[in-house]
Amino acid sequence: MSASAQTVPSAAWPEGVVARYLTVGGALVDVSHDMKLIDDTEPNLSIAHCGGEGCKASHHELWTHYGYRTDNGSRGADQEVSKWAQAHAETCRALPRPTA
Ligand SMILES: [Zn+2]
């Protein structure tokens, strides 16, 4: 198990995590990239997951909604999802999920 029981913000981030926010309850909201469909071969959305115990909050934005000619939209989607993650982190009081 590489997962650490400590929620030290400077601990190594899981692979693929592009941003993370510490909630008022001490849990982490991770922003990462994911694929919309099971048969998609490349990431095409940004998604935030709250790691709070019992908190199933998540939010995603499709890159296509933010893409321009020179940009696949990941940056815009990251920003939007990060905004949501930050707002959720400010209100979520769920405690960190115990690590097994
Ligand atoms: Zn939460």
Side-chain angles (χ1 to χ4, degrees), residues 3 24 43 47 63 72 78 87 91 97:
V24 288
I47 187 159
W63 293 358
N72 68 3
D78 280 354
T91 58
R97 201 169 287 152

Side-chain angles (χ1 to χ4, degrees), residues 22-46:
L22 187 65
T23 70
V24 288
L28 290 166
V29 184
D30 281 342
V31 178
S32 58
H33 294 161
D34 206 350
M35 290 168 255
K36 186 183 179 201
L37 302 171
I38 202 107
D39 50 352
D40 283 339
T41 53
E42 300 210 336
N44 49 23
L45 59 82
S46 301

Side-chain angles (χ1 to χ4, degrees), residues 15-94:
E15 199 175 328
V17 170
V18 295
R20 76 185 340 190
Y21 297 88
L22 187 65
T23 70
V24 288
L28 290 166
V29 184
D30 281 342
V31 178
S32 58
H33 294 161
D34 206 350
M35 290 168 255
K36 186 183 179 201
L37 302 171
I38 202 107
D39 50 352
D40 283 339
T41 53
E42 300 210 336
N44 49 23
L45 59 82
S46 301
I47 187 159
H49 280 291
C50 179
E53 173 71 19
C55 180
K56 299 231 176 0
S58 75
H59 181 83
H60 75 267
E61 296 285 342
L62 290 173
W63 293 358
T64 49
H65 293 177
Y66 298 91
Y68 305 98
R69 254 181 336 137
T70 55
D71 180 351
N72 68 3
S74 65
R75 275 182 48 195
D78 280 354
Q79 276 175 11
E80 204 54 35
V81 168
S82 293
K83 256 191 254 173
W84 177 91
Q86 192 162 17
H88 181 76
E90 284 167 6
T91 58
C92 182
R93 298 191 168 273

